[in-house]
Amino acid sequence: MSGEGRSFLGRSVSRRTFLSGAAVAAAGLAVSSCGPSVALVGGGARSIDYWNLFGGGDGVRMVEMENQFRRSHPGITLNAVTLSWGNPYYTKLSMAIAGGSPPDVAVMHLAKMGAYAPAGLLEELRPEELSRYGIGPDKFLPQVLDFAKYDGRIYAVPLDTHPFVQYYNVDICRKAGVLDSGGNLVPMDSPGRVVKVLEKVKKVTGQWGVSFYPNDSAGPWRLFLTLYGQMKKGAPILSHDAKRVVMDDTKAERALGFMTELALKYRVMPINMDYGGSVALFQNGQAGLYWNGEWEVTTFQAAKMNFNMVPFPKVYTYRAAQADHHSFIIPKGVDPAHKKTALEFISFMLKDSYVWAQGGHIPAYQPVVQSEKYRHLEPQSNYAGVAKYVVTDPIAWFSGSGSIMESHASGIFQAVMAGRMSPRQGVRQFRAYLQQEVSLPKPY
């Protein structure tokens, strides 16, 4: 059976190609077995299955929002399932869609758009359809909504922006003399000023100026893309069609060079620290600053630290910070009745996203961002403006949060930061990897 004739995005896609595309939508990794899928429960239009990948503090807040939905919608049965973060989640999701048993609504990082939309795995969401539920295009920043589009069409509803930011320990920074009279960090608007601040902080902590996690599958990539994006507007890595590598090697080398200097020359940043260790370094006062995503805010609040959060400093020419966006998607193949209920669910979750914002993420739904309650939510609202100038992974089938591309890049960059290769060698190796990926035939 050829399966020819199944049409997505206006193109005819064979069943074989569709399944192949679904497989690589799980971030370019070899696909493991789909595993048990979650069966539809109830089967009626007032019952929906929802998949997400949130654990930790995010998971707690997501459950709180789900429960609020259940209480306010007693006629709808919500079957929520949380799966393991990263590729296990995306593998199950893509294979469930391809296998014809998808959930009615699911969470997806928008950096995954390049893998899911071209493969025909997502329902298009028309603007007028979203407006009927109060979540039309006018409710989002255009810069954020653009990430939810593919070929000009909307395939996801953004929930948040979660950028790379800067945390600082107020007490340590005050002792180091790097706060102004208003209690804000002094400008760190050049590589030299960054080093100067971190060296002063290091003298107070006795260990490190800034905590970071080079020994991680995403950390070095996040810092690199932030610095590269501040030198090269938009942080282009691949061409729009993902067929060519367009990275500016000179600027990429400069970004890697600065990361290496912080670790090896000035020794203000740890070289081999993993993610958990980096959190502990900052929490224990062994570093006065911390570079990471904003999602650890509740960790330090729970520890009753005296800390603050601000956007990542503009070290070079442009404001830029690496980020991704959580979003809601409706998989291809969901029947119209369930799609309506799913949109009702998505609408509620966005309007309830002040709960989500407390965990650090910047809400995508602008009525929440503009609310008095959010404006007074500190330190979370301090960096809300970052949503307008974030840089994200290149749009490609092998890219996106948790992808092998991020892991591969981070491995190379960590080796550079540890002095095992030069920044130039690191850029060349990364370019060679990218060239290999874009040379492969697209799997859909």
Side-chain angles (χ1 to χ4, degrees):
M1 174 179 166
S2 68
E4 288 287 343
R6 190 169 187 173
S7 178
F8 298 121
L9 306 179
R11 293 179 297 169
S12 180
V13 181
S14 71
R15 177 176 175 79
R16 181 176 181 181
T17 301
F18 177 75
L19 290 170
S20 176
V24 298
L29 283 182
V31 177
S32 62
S33 169
C34 175
S37 63
V38 176
L40 289 172
V41 177
R46 307 304 284 171
S47 170
I48 54 170
D49 286 351
Y50 163 52
W51 286 12
N52 69 77
L53 70 176
F54 298 121
D58 279 354
V60 172
R61 273 175 288 279
M62 180 52 64
V63 169
E64 180 181 347
M65 294 165 70
E66 291 165 1
N67 288 336
Q68 289 175 352
F69 175 81
R70 290 186 179 99
R71 285 194 291 272
S72 61
H73 295 74
I76 299 176
T77 300
L78 171 64
N79 306 297
V81 175
T82 300
L83 300 168
S84 297
W85 193 94
N87 277 298
Y89 174 80
Y90 285 111
T91 298
K92 285 181 181 293
L93 179 61
S94 58
M95 296 306 285
I97 300 172
S101 58
D104 302 306
V105 57
V107 164
M108 184 187 83
H109 288 88
L110 287 184
K112 290 286 189 184
M113 185 61 71
Y116 277 72
L121 301 177
L122 307 178
E123 280 283 336
E124 181 185 350
L125 303 169
R126 298 184 182 281
E128 62 274 17
E129 187 178 28
L130 296 175
S131 294
R132 283 199 292 275
Y133 292 88
I135 51 175
D138 61 320
K139 304 300 183 188
F140 302 92
L141 289 174
Q143 301 95 323
V144 174
L145 190 62
D146 280 348
F147 288 107
K149 296 178 181 177
Y150 181 76
D151 277 353
R153 299 177 180 180
I154 301 173
Y155 287 96
V157 183
L159 171 62
D160 66 43
T161 299
H162 43 281
F164 201 67
V165 298
Q166 179 166 264
Y167 301 71
Y168 64 94
N169 182 311
V170 174
D171 298 330
I172 290 174
C173 288
R174 183 173 290 118
K175 286 181 184 175
V178 296
L179 298 185
D180 63 19
S181 58
N184 303 306
L185 275 172
V186 297
M188 299 171 68
D189 52 5
S190 71
R193 288 188 174 183
V194 171
V195 171
K196 191 170 290 185
V197 166
L198 297 182
E199 286 182 331
K200 287 182 176 179
V201 171
K202 180 180 176 179
K203 287 181 181 177
V204 175
T205 66
Q207 294 197 37
W208 304 106
V210 61
S211 182
F212 183 61
Y213 47 108
N215 188 15
D216 181 80
S217 60
W221 167 253
R222 290 169 180 156
L223 180 55
F224 165 80
L225 196 64
T226 296
L227 296 173
Y228 175 67
Q230 292 192 358
M231 286 184 269
K232 189 74 175 178
K233 195 172 181 60
I237 300 290
L238 303 178
S239 60
H240 180 69
D241 57 6
K243 292 182 178 178
R244 293 179 296 113
V245 181
V246 299
M247 179 173 63
D248 185 322
D249 289 11
T250 301
K251 290 183 169 57
E253 187 179 328
R254 195 172 159 202
L256 271 184
F258 184 52
M259 292 162 62
T260 305
E261 286 183 349
L262 293 176
L264 289 180
K265 180 178 179 181
Y266 301 107
R267 298 184 181 280
V268 291
M269 173 196 286
I271 298 172
N272 293 313
M273 189 58 59
D274 62 15
Y275 187 93
S278 73
V279 174
L281 275 188
F282 183 66
Q283 186 171 327
N284 296 336
Q286 294 164 290
L289 279 72
Y290 187 30
W291 291 343
N292 192 7
E294 31 64 25
W295 47 81
E296 293 295 348
V297 58
T298 52
T299 300
F300 304 130
Q301 286 176 329
K304 301 189 183 306
M305 288 183 64
N306 186 15
F307 76 103
N308 203 353
M309 296 169 70
V310 290
F312 191 88
K314 175 176 167 287
V315 183
Y316 295 104
T317 307
Y318 306 104
R319 288 196 176 279
Q322 185 276 340
D324 203 343
H325 310 267
H326 295 121
S327 74
F328 292 106
I329 56 101
I330 296 179
K332 196 74 179 178
V334 170
D335 70 66
H338 280 84
K339 182 178 180 181
K340 288 180 180 177
T341 310
L343 286 169
E344 192 173 345
F345 169 74
I346 294 171
S347 174
F348 177 90
M349 299 299 266
L350 262 62
K351 293 170 184 174
D352 196 35
S353 58
Y354 175 78
V355 174
W356 194 242
Q358 293 174 66
H361 305 320
I362 304 169
Y365 189 65
Q366 288 304 291
V368 171
V369 176
Q370 294 160 5
S371 69
E372 197 69 19
K373 193 162 60 169
Y374 179 73
R375 283 202 288 264
H376 287 92
L377 182 66
E378 294 182 344
Q380 291 90 332
S381 60
N382 293 350
Y383 50 83
V386 177
K388 295 180 180 178
Y389 57 78
V390 299
V391 289
T392 66
D393 286 20
I395 301 301
W397 64 267
F398 54 84
S399 179
S401 289
S403 68
I404 194 169
M405 187 212 70
E406 285 195 352
S407 177
H408 199 92
S410 292
I412 295 170
F413 299 162
Q414 196 275 335
V416 174
M417 294 175 71
R420 295 197 293 275
M421 67 174 81
S422 70
R424 178 165 297 182
Q425 289 172 322
V427 169
R428 285 178 178 170
Q429 191 165 324
F430 183 46
R431 172 176 277 277
Y433 162 74
L434 292 172
Q435 190 59 53
Q436 174 186 304
E437 295 300 304
V438 301
S439 300
L440 294 172
K442 286 185 180 180
Y444 44 80

